[in-house]
Amino acid sequence: MPAGELRYPSSISCPQISQATETPMEEDEAWVWAQIKAEARRDAELEPALASYLYSTILSHSSLERSLAFHLGNKLCSSTLLSTLLYDLFLNNFSSDPSLRAAAVADLRAARVRDPACVSFSHCLLNYKGFLACQAHRVAHKLWTQSRRPLALALHSRISDVFAVDIHPAAKIGKGILLDHATGVVIGETAVVGNNVSILHHVTLGGTGKACGDRHPKIGDGVLIGAGATILGNVKIGEGAKIGAGSVVLIDVPPRTTAVGNPARLVGGKEKPSRHEECPGESMDHTSFISEWSDYII
């Protein structure tokens, strides 16, 4: 197999876990965790200066949820919000909720496959603040739904302070999410983000400033939102749509179309917009529409 190529077996073998009782989701998690540990061992050998760090964050732990809880606890702690408290909080939620673990694995895969700068699963787990912010947000969201709102808001504040990613704990986020670079991403209280969505840095999913209640965007599955895009109000971005970098979107965008500009308009026109077949949230194709949209040449 060529260097760097990923092979995802349809049936994943794990000697420590009985295949008779293991679900496909558990198999997937076990395989990704095995990859992360193998990568950490390799990196510890190649770079001894990181050996202690890699041991404490990955190699000393028996599972992905323990490693992730430990890492998030240390990242988000403060002098008054202790790492041990956060570790217990994250671990209890990850251990008791398989959907949180499945979402984390889907996010790891999303970063590894969609981002050419992501050299390994362990690199994403340790260093991708968009990934870490998303996992911490899901715990904050669970606390919010359990009416533990002061703690959810405290966690939200720490996520914003540490990762520069501001996601209200009430916002609903799917799985297979890539927050690429992530700096400056803002997602409002009543926003909904579907599965397999990719969002670049400095994206805002905000309100109009005058509406109350359900006032934030609803992002369909497979959407790609380019860097610096702003989507305001309770508008729907259809499944598989693409929002160009720097665009300002104030109305609904139909599925499988591309919206660009300020204010945003549909490539191909409102009556017969151009439609694409691929899933842009996964293909990460930002620029194929340019020839249809503009004859501007530098």
Side-chain angles (χ1 to χ4, degrees):
M1 182 167 53
E5 181 179 331
L6 290 175
R7 180 175 296 166
Y8 301 134
S10 57
S11 177
I12 301 167
S13 172
C14 183
Q16 292 79 16
I17 304 175
S18 171
Q19 293 293 300
T21 59
E22 192 176 53
T23 66
M25 184 175 68
E26 290 169 336
E27 290 181 2
D28 197 28
E29 182 183 338
W31 185 83
V32 169
W33 176 236
Q35 290 290 114
I36 289 171
K37 293 188 78 171
E39 292 163 359
R41 292 189 195 96
R42 176 203 63 201
D43 292 345
E45 291 177 2
L46 292 174
E47 186 52 79
L50 291 176
S52 177
Y53 170 65
L54 292 168
Y55 179 80
S56 64
T57 52
I58 294 176
L59 297 173
S60 65
H61 300 284
S62 59
S63 63
L64 176 59
E65 62 262 31
R66 287 183 176 276
S67 173
L68 183 56
F70 178 86
H71 193 43
L72 285 173
N74 280 284
K75 283 282 189 179
L76 296 173
C77 68
S78 69
S79 58
T80 53
L81 196 60
L82 301 182
S83 62
T84 50
L85 182 150
L86 290 175
Y87 172 75
D88 288 340
L89 176 67
F90 286 123
L91 183 58
N92 287 338
N93 280 277
F94 292 142
S95 298
S96 63
D97 191 340
S99 69
L100 294 180
R101 302 197 302 274
V105 170
D107 292 355
L108 284 165
R109 284 191 179 277
R112 185 70 178 94
V113 171
R114 297 177 210 165
D115 184 0
C118 186
V119 296
S120 65
F121 289 113
S122 60
H123 174 47
C124 178
L125 172 65
L126 296 176
N127 303 321
Y128 269 43
K129 66 179 185 177
F131 168 79
L132 294 170
C134 212
Q135 312 322 306
H137 162 75
R138 291 196 182 100
V139 173
H141 177 70
K142 188 172 181 181
L143 294 170
W144 184 269
T145 62
Q146 294 171 340
S147 296
R148 301 177 68 184
R149 295 188 174 185
L151 183 54
L153 290 168
L155 189 54
H156 159 249
S157 178
R158 289 301 298 157
I159 295 167
S160 180
D161 288 347
V162 173
F163 299 128
V165 175
D166 190 340
I167 310 175
H168 192 282
K172 299 175 182 177
I173 308 293
K175 64 181 181 179
I177 303 299
L178 174 61
L179 300 184
D180 197 0
H181 302 290
T183 300
V185 168
V186 177
I187 301 178
E189 180 180 6
T190 60
V192 178
V193 177
N195 299 322
N196 302 315
V197 171
S198 293
I199 298 175
L200 276 289
H201 48 288
H202 292 293
V203 163
T204 297
L205 306 182
T208 61
K210 60 183 180 181
C212 298
D214 193 357
R215 60 196 184 279
H216 295 101
K218 310 298 181 283
I219 310 300
D221 293 347
V223 168
L224 171 63
I225 306 178
T230 299
I231 307 173
L232 300 178
N234 187 14
V235 299
K236 183 176 181 180
I237 308 302
E239 178 182 349
K242 186 188 303 184
I243 309 300
S247 300
V248 177
V249 180
L250 303 174
I251 60 175
D252 292 353
V253 175
R256 304 285 174 177
T257 62
T258 300
V260 294
N262 180 7
R265 62 187 188 272
L266 297 177
V267 172
K270 182 179 180 180
E271 300 303 321
K272 293 184 178 180
S274 300
R275 296 184 182 271
H276 45 259
E277 296 300 323
E278 85 280 3
C279 177
E282 297 180 9
S283 70
M284 302 296 288
D285 178 8
H286 291 268
T287 59
S288 63
F289 62 86
I290 290 295
S291 61
E292 301 177 50
W293 176 64
S294 174
D295 58 2
Y296 178 69
I297 300 174
I298 297 177

